[in-house]
Amino acid sequence: MECHAVLEAMKGVAEKLRRLSGLTSDGARLVDEALSGQSPRLHINAFRIDTEKGEQAGFANLLKGLFGTFRNPTAH
């Protein structure tokens, strides 16, 4: 039951990222396109100083880990 709840939550996270970013990709690729790089489409903070950029990168890595751990093995 808990795995199903996490799977549904991850689907919701992906859908929200798509809606906010205008992207159509999925999983780790979606996270990279939306939240990673020098000029990410979406910011979780002001994204001005190194600490904020590190926080953004950490958040993106956390989401990619969640997709890889919970969504991909369960959905495929």
Side-chain angles (χ1 to χ4, degrees):
M1 185 68 88
E2 292 84 15
C3 285
H4 179 72
V6 175
L7 173 62
E8 292 304 314
M10 292 310 300
K11 287 180 185 177
V13 168
E15 186 55 37
K16 186 155 190 174
L17 282 175
R18 281 190 215 96
R19 190 169 17 92
L20 293 172
S21 68
L23 297 166
T24 59
S25 50
D26 195 26
R29 182 174 174 199
L30 173 62
V31 173
D32 280 339
E33 291 173 352
L35 296 169
S36 297
Q38 296 298 320
S39 299
R41 289 181 184 231
L42 302 175
H43 296 160
I44 64 164
N45 54 37
F47 201 73
R48 287 187 295 235
I49 61 174
D50 287 343
T51 300
E52 293 166 342
K53 292 176 181 181
E55 184 179 56
Q56 175 97 11
F59 184 71
N61 285 331
L62 178 62
L63 285 181
K64 288 192 290 186
L66 287 169
F67 276 113
T69 301
F70 292 104
R71 178 144 185 253
N72 293 345
T74 307
H76 298 290

